[in-house]
């Protein structure tokens, strides 16, 4: 496995040249695009290659994880009152369907609108407490107590977050979020700015691969059904408007972020973390996609 | 297994009362809504319960199957020039994105627009030859030489098919289909009117579960990769705009039709055919959904 | 006036170089783009300049005229059941709102969808009789018995009319048109292919300027209210998705066609016909717009 | 005229029963819906009937007026970089086209998005100065130095203005407004909360009827061309998504507001102010519409 990963990193890092790093905040814009790292957890240990220790921010990879925390806080029926279950084929920051969808809620929690709605559900007496609860949950999932929010990034997200503010106020207008939209966004910006590595993502992926069980302790960290929900969403809409293509080409649940991270899951087998900051036009790591495609073929991971 | 299926049919046929049969053509409108049948192929044999011998028409269940035939006729790269890979969240007969999507092709082959585009790709010197090739392919998949088109249904589909004609002419206008749109629709209406039973669907599902291999002969009936593609589409957009919900609740690839049929697949394990003509508001068999949910939970079929 | 028109033609014909003739049918594609003609009827006589005798086809200029005939055939309340009264800001051939508008009818009769709906309302025992009634009506309005359909053009319109067929079948599907959609389109294609000159358009414009009275005989050719309706539509949506700009820049009711014609009206004063086949990107005569802007300013025609 | 107005008020106040007052802020919700007033300025004097002294807030009636001030501040070419010229057929608070329109600006300044964009253009060193400049301009137009902002209303607008905040942040995101979106909204909420009467509106309408001249002094208060622009917009999109219908039924430039006010103009002849707080489903005064229709017919005001 180790040799395989080394070979795949070496081969696919090349296509980083065809992508671009996210440029809407300086912290992302100045990242070296020519990086690629992978870490695979096989239930017992981590096998890694490339830039596997390089920290980056979760960004949208946080969406299915915070969803699980919201499900733990409120249960399925309340959460599904707030967000739908269907993929959209629209860009991640689209606002159109909030106006046109008669049910007046985001189609799913993997697009920004739905993720902001979910951020609004996290319990806590203050913004800080909510953020702390999310960070704590990610630490548990990643089995890494060092994880924290990169406040430079969250501040930058906040200062450039006009589209997200537009979405949040629309959600407020249709009664989808209850508190102050700007406080909800503070939680959302912070969850996006949590800093992790491929190895952290691989551990998180392994927890999902085990339907919520810790690979370290065997403890059920959250209900199995919530793992299934998260992985179903990851499959139908985890890769922005490139989710269908990913299902066809790679065939495993995964969630990407514009920080260049992807968490992917071979159910029952592997948790996979990838980092490749050069993105394609849909916002997915271009080298990460290529690497995962070959990894899935080589190890026969396609779940369909 | 036999007892389980009997029990599930008996339990879930009740919710047929909450649905309605499709009413746009007389042949569907006069079907008794209070029916439920299931057939499961385990790789060796069929186990069935309820209305498992009742014939019904494939309707949209034909879409992934004719897609496979088009892939065999033209290969992936040409087919994907014609149809996209992404789910939409829109109703099955929506035309909006043909105008708004800058790539000027249907988002995927599971919605009507994409399926009509695919029907236009089937090789054959005449409409009849194209239809015959499709029927022959379905017979092979179902291991049943008796399967044929119900011409009363295809004629009715044709006489009420104004929305599909609108879609076909739009596809022609944007250069997506090449021949006569009305001849393409003749193929499409015929594929929808192919008459099968749950047992046929279970066999078809088993071929997909075996990635293209016949459970009878072990012969590779079509390339493994095309089975993966079909099952990926079925997962992200096989159940109309209820696909995401199905992925969350049942968690297996499936395709439904307004004739009440559903083909579902437990990869490597089972091919499943369901018939329940009472539909929910999205066009999926209401009792079929309930039955599949419990079946998936009981047998732990969820692939995520 | 004569000198003014000569001067304006000479000045504004230049900007024909910035436009392009319509190219979807050969008869339009081979028209010399560098032409400009104008004819103004002042209630007593015609004053003309430039290409005022060159025949061209009505195309969308027919829309408000056939609307008046439909109003005469059925009255306001029935016609307004079939088409709405609101401008859309969408391209003339857009189909999106037929799906998204809950009232399931075209927004107005100046876009293709609405004009096809209106063509379906014209009384007559056969397609030919309907077309003859329209031609007769145009002859009366233009005070020219020589006017007829250019059948080469109508045949070409028909052979390339896939988008319009898509629209017509959609209208049929939502119950907006009653007869055979293809026969309705035969009427529509014929009305678009009626051949006229600037002088004819100026006479038609004068009838509208006089609220339905013939400038020759003083006879009320159609009810005053229908003239008001036609001119209101021409103001809010007569120049495709450039109608608002035309209202701001020129300020008079007008209707353009992709044949290069524009009929414009200074209520109570002038009927104006313009021909300039080079079109801007919205389908309006580019030199015609420039000429009408200066004419409106010079003669203080702006009605606002 | 006086008797006519009295008669019309008495007759049309009845249909107030079929409408409802705006209810999104308490100040509007508690207005007595059964009121109707009209004031007509004939260039020399005001003739009034009904609730012509009752103060109400401008709301959207402010939109064309602040547009004129923005044109005076920046000129046409800069203003039209920020807002388009086309009607939309969409509800006043729609956000969809900000995402779908490739030019990334509001279609016109009569919908909320465009009006907020325009509010962002008003010159002034501070929010207060901008508001004061608007109030001053309205006072001049109305020839009434008593006019001021109802701060209870502007505070209520602000506290319930989540949809407008969503729009403003979207405008910020696409670079359409430059300053702080919330400060821009403070200007916008204040302009909507300016309190006037029918008599004020009639005077404002008369200034527009005279293409910018004061009926009192003959002074040109703003350029004639800006009056033409305002009246063109009022005709194509002044009455929300009921503008086309108003053009057909009444046929004069007008702008309505959810406070129940309508300013209407018979160019060269009359300025008209109406107040009827019971609104139809599109947000226009239901009794006001009926009254204006009969007034237009009786005095032959239709400009088409």
């Amino acid at each position: 496995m180790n040799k395989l990963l080394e070979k795949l990193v070496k081969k696919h890092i090349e296509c980083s040249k065809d992508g671009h790093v996210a440029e809407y905040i300086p912290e992302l814009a100045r990242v070296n695009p020519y990086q690629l790292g992978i870490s695979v957890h096989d239930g017992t240990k981590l096998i890694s290659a490339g830039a596997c220790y390089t920290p980056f921010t979760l960004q949208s990879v946080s969406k299915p994880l915070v969803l699980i925390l919201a499900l733990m806080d409120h249960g399925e029926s309340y959460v599904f009152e707030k967000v739908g279950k269907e993929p959209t084929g629209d860009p991640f920051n689209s606002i159109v369907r909030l106006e046109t969808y008669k049910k007046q809620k985001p189609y799913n929690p993997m697009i920004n609108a739905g993720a902001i709605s979910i951020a609004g559900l996290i319990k806590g007496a203050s913004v800080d407490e909510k953020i702390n609860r999310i960070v704590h949950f990610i630490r548990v999932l990643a089995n890494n107590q060092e994880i924290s929010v990169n406040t430079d990034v969250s501040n930058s997200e906040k200062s450039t977050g006009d589209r997200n503010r537009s979405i949040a106020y629309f959600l407020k207008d249709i009664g989808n979020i209850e508190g102050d939209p700007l406080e909800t966004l503070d939680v959302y910006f912070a969850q996006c700015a949590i800093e992790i590595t491929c190895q952290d993502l691989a551990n998180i992926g392994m927890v999902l691969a085990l339907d919520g069980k810790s690979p370290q302790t065997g403890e059920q960290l959250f209900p199995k059904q919530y793992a299934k929900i998260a992985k179903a969403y990851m499959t139908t809409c985890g890769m922005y408007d490139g989710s269908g293509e990913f299902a066809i080409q790679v065939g495993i649940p995964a969630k990407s972020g514009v920080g260049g991270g992807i968490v992917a899951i071979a159910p029952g087998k592997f948790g996979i973390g990838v980092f490749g900051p050069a993105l394609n036009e849909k916002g997915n790591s271009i080298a990460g996609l290529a690497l995962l495609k070959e990894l899935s073929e080589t190890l026969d991971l396609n779940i369909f």
Side-chain angles (χ1 to χ4, degrees), chain A residues 67-83 118 121 123 223 225-226 229:
Chain A
L67 169 68
I68 292 170
L69 187 57
L71 285 164
M72 293 169 79
D73 278 358
H74 298 281
E76 283 184 55
S77 92
Y78 187 71
V79 168
F80 291 138
E81 273 176 38
K82 295 299 183 184
V83 296
I118 291 297
L121 295 181
K123 286 188 176 170
Q225 169 66 358
Y226 300 167
I229 290 171

Side-chain angles (χ1 to χ4, degrees), chain A residues 208 211 222-233 267:
Chain A
L208 284 162
D211 283 336
F222 52 85
K224 174 181 175 182
Q225 169 66 358
Y226 300 167
K228 296 297 191 198
I229 290 171
K231 288 183 280 185
Y233 274 127

Side-chain angles (χ1 to χ4, degrees), chain A residues 87 89 233-252 282 284 304:
Chain A
Y233 274 127
M234 292 164 88
T235 304
T236 58
C237 46
M239 302 297 280
Y240 305 121
D241 45 333
S243 301
E245 183 163 29
F246 189 85
I248 286 173
Q249 294 188 341
V250 187
I252 54 177
K282 290 183 174 175
N284 294 315
F304 301 123

Side-chain angles (χ1 to χ4, degrees), chain A residues 182-199:
Chain A
L182 298 182
E183 292 192 358
T184 298
L185 284 175
D186 284 343
V187 175
Y188 177 71
F189 292 141
Q191 80 180 55
C192 290
I194 292 173
E195 210 162 57
I196 38 75
T197 67
C198 285
Q199 300 205 322

Side-chain angles (χ1 to χ4, degrees), chain A residues 120-135:
Chain A
L121 295 181
I122 298 304
K123 286 188 176 170
S126 66
V127 167
D128 280 349
E129 189 181 326
K130 292 171 187 189
I131 295 171
N132 287 340
R133 289 191 64 236
I134 292 172
V135 171

Side-chain angles (χ1 to χ4, degrees), chain A residues 21-26 28-29 59 156-157 160 192 258-259:
Chain A
V21 297
E23 293 184 334
Y24 67 99
I25 58 172
L28 292 178
Q59 302 295 341
S156 281
E157 299 277 356
T160 61
C192 290
V258 292

